[in-house]
Amino acid sequence: MTYIELAEACGVYECAERPKINRHRIAHNALATFAITLDRFMANHKEELEDDFWNPIVRLLKRRRYLMQAVPLSFEAIAASDSETFEKGKASLRRVQFVFPQLADEAQNLFNMCHRLSGLNDNPLGDLIQSNFLESEKSSNYSAILIRDSRWSHDIENSFGSDKRFRKLHVISPECLRAGTCYENIYCVGPAKWFPDHVFSSARSLSIHLYCYNWIKDRQSIPNPFRAGSVEVTTPKSSWTKRDSVISLVDSGRADERLIEAEDVIPTIDIPGIKKRIRETADTEDFAQEVQARLFVLEGNALVMLQTEGNSSHLVIDPLYWHDDDEGAEATVNKVLTSEIEPGMFVLIRSGGGGDYIEPIADEILGERAQDLRALQQHWKNLLKQRVKEVGIEEAISELKGLGSEKANNVNLGNWMSARSIKTRDYEDFEALMEFIGISEQCESFWIAAETIHSAHRSAGFSIRRALIDKISQTSIKDLQKTGSAEFSVGDSNEGSMLVLRVKTVVQDLFTVPESSLGKLLEGSEDLWR
Amino acid sequence: MANKTTIKSDRAIPGLLFNNRGRWLEAPNWIDFFVDLGCALASSKEFTDENLFVAIAAPTRAFAANLIALGAVSRLSQTVSAKPSPDDHFNRISALKKGTVLQRIEKQKRYKCAFLGIETFQGTQCVKVAVNMGKNKVARLIPKNRCLDIILNGNEAIYEDKVTRKRNILERPEFTRHFVHPVCHTDFALEKRLDCKIIGKQNILKVEAKAEVLAVRSEDQFHKGTLNDILRIRELLSQDDPYRTQFLSSRNGDTYSATDNSPFLTIYDGANAYLKSDSANNCPVTAVVLDKTEPNFEIAAQNISDTFIKRRTGQIKLVLNYQAPQSVDILGFTEASK
């Protein structure tokens, strides 16, 4: 939700009133054959394909099929930016004849088709968009190509921009259509089902062109948002009107009879694969503190787990956050409860090296003392973990309470053992912990060390926040909206670099994950899609 | 089969203009529609004793909640909560600064006059005003029992102790009068009464309310104004100023202060405001403005459809003076008051 001026709102209502939505059906024999053959292959061998062996192959084939139908670039250009997936798929294919000999020929055939297509310079989507754009060129000429996957926006802009006639074309994501900007034409790449309803029901253009291959089964209309119906609204001057809010999508070409569901073309997250990987990580860590987390699907198919327990929060940029002093152009970093993070917001994820991004900066603040202080911290945490392991959590809590800790409970004890927490809030709890692990005589020195680290972390947090806000203010929110991601570095070290990625989906299932896997991208996120 | 109640807007507000990047143009249909919808919702008690729930899905939420509130506050200004007694009115006038411009009704016509103070004449307390007689000013005494003939001009009615303070309500009586029934102008200017609360993102709602984007035409002139001139938003006024509307934050899950009277109309501005709402809300009228582009729009629309199925006691028809925009979807029903 952002501030839209009254004049802009008038433009929005004008566009949304009666948008002309024209679906262009595109034919391409080789791609059609590949797309449909793959669809049948997956339908016929559903059970076999559930085996993890198939992941790299299915991922490659599905991904290529999707990109060729979703990105208005030549097939060759798409393949060139996706070579890693190709190599992984190719490597697995070599083993098919040993693992699944009965499927080897079909798989090889599909792979060959994909390979042949990947060598073609064909760009059916791009060619038609360009031709339509030139036909409808008008004086104001403020038009946009709408793509589902904004990772490709720079490549598309560069490709179209190489011809000066198309330099005025913007490349946008559906999120850009939440603002008040309206366009002369919107060239929407892919079937309507791939896009949120508001692209059509709250159109930001009087003219929307949908580009969809003719073997894809797409929706025919956008229904009334209120399933329960609608109210009759009439005026005394006009006759009774039953409002019909269903928006029709008109096909300009013929749809093929061999249809594939639009949703089936989109790669999906491999939830069991993710759970399996989490389990593997947890098994390799001693004393891993496990917490409840939610999975966020980010721009570029990246995945991240964020803690949901209690009042867990995370740094985000809400592009719709707006304050009186800005003009809607600058992003603002805010800490938001994990439960309130929603699609369209950008989450800040630490990157580069994996350590907590605050820690290196805090260590710089601590200077020469850093190593000793960290060692002290590590020492009592290790003792605590060891002792809890020996006596069990319930007994540990009971003992701590007996030693005067008022806040000893499951969650707090977990936090005190965790490397992410520096110290207890109250000295009484800390004193009880020290006594519990048998180093009560050193309690004060450990407390001072923890306080010093804590203070350095706080200063580091402030300095990162300031540095980040400075960086972010140099990037317009418009650019961020367009690309869906950006990387910001804090200081010179890689440890301080952060990724800013748009949340695409929040997976509803809750996961129990080791604390160490929170707040960082799941490694090999690309492999967790099929 | 549920019964159907017709809710009519009985007061169109004509001649609205809006600021289109510096040019004043006739307000487009959608602006008139939302204002008119607010008028209709405010007059719903004339058509049903039950509570009313209306959800609106619009292509943008921008200004919709404030415009609905504008229509509602304007229509509700006709409802005088309690006719002030001559004593109360006399006390209000007594508190004015000498020289304050007032209006006097005589033979159903209004005349300008200036407040000169309070005097006792033949044992009766009177309001002393200066009236124009040709080129001269003549003093008149109006007895206390006839002081209701004196109208406080709303924004001119500034109490002496507040004159020096910076005020958010500017003096725009012509603009205000376009929306507020003349008979009720005094009450509107002086009475603290919560007619409407809007729950949503306060910072955006406030900017909308403070922007000088509307104007009205009277004869050859046109008068600019802000939504706040009519809405009298509590958060934009000084503590003692008479308010009609309150903004509450959706982020904090605020409801409204327990010391306040429950307003007639509650407007949820946006899906999040509605989804975080207190289901115990028992306002006579609830309106939910949903922006179709919001991330949680579909969840909120689904939730509202479920509410419709569970809670409706009857369906409604809206008879408005302005046609609903094609891009706006509306669901509404009556429900039992809690």
Side-chain angles (χ1 to χ4, degrees), chain A residues 70 347 424:
Chain A
V347 291
T424 62

Side-chain angles (χ1 to χ4, degrees), chain B residues 173-201:
Chain B
E174 293 303 329
F175 180 76
T176 314
R177 245 178 241 128
H178 197 81
F179 295 92
V180 180
H181 198 279
V183 173
C184 313
H185 212 266
T186 305
D187 289 284
F188 187 73
L190 297 174
E191 191 186 6
K192 290 178 182 175
R193 190 177 85 186
L194 189 62
D195 284 341
C196 175
K197 63 175 177 178
I198 306 180
I199 301 168
K201 285 202 170 172

Side-chain angles (χ1 to χ4, degrees), chain A residues 88-121:
Chain A
K88 284 182 184 171
K90 197 174 163 186
S92 295
L93 195 75
R94 282 193 207 108
R95 292 183 288 124
V96 170
Q97 54 187 318
F98 306 112
V99 189
F100 288 96
Q102 73 280 19
L103 301 183
D105 287 347
E106 277 184 85
Q108 188 62 52
N109 181 34
L110 273 165
F111 183 83
N112 292 343
M113 278 192 232
C114 175
H115 191 49
R116 271 198 300 276
L117 275 167
S118 301
L120 296 178
N121 196 30

Side-chain angles (χ1 to χ4, degrees), chain A residues 1 4 6-7 10 13 17 178 198 202 204 225 227-228 230-236 238 243 245 322 342, chain B residues 4 20 30 34 59 61 63 203 207 272 292-293 296-297 302 305-306 308 318 320 325-326 328-330 332:
Chain A
M1 188 189 289
I4 292 178
L6 192 66
C10 290
Y13 277 94
E17 205 60 5
R178 285 182 179 146
H198 74 76
S202 302
R204 297 305 199 238
R227 195 172 37 86
S230 54
V231 157
E232 261 185 301
V233 184
T234 64
T235 66
S238 67
R243 283 179 48 76
S245 61
W322 192 87
E342 54 191 38
Chain B
K4 204 174 234 183
N20 187 12
W30 71 272
F34 280 120
R61 55 138 306 280
F63 288 88
N203 54 356
V207 176
N272 282 348
K292 292 182 185 178
T293 70
N296 285 329
F297 167 70
Q302 174 74 45
S305 291
D306 293 345
F308 172 86
L318 288 170
L320 304 178
Q326 286 294 320
V328 170
D329 297 290
I330 308 172

Side-chain angles (χ1 to χ4, degrees), chain A residues 355-367:
Chain A
D356 193 322
Y357 55 90
I358 285 183
E359 216 170 288
I361 295 174
D363 283 352
E364 269 179 42
I365 294 167
L366 292 168

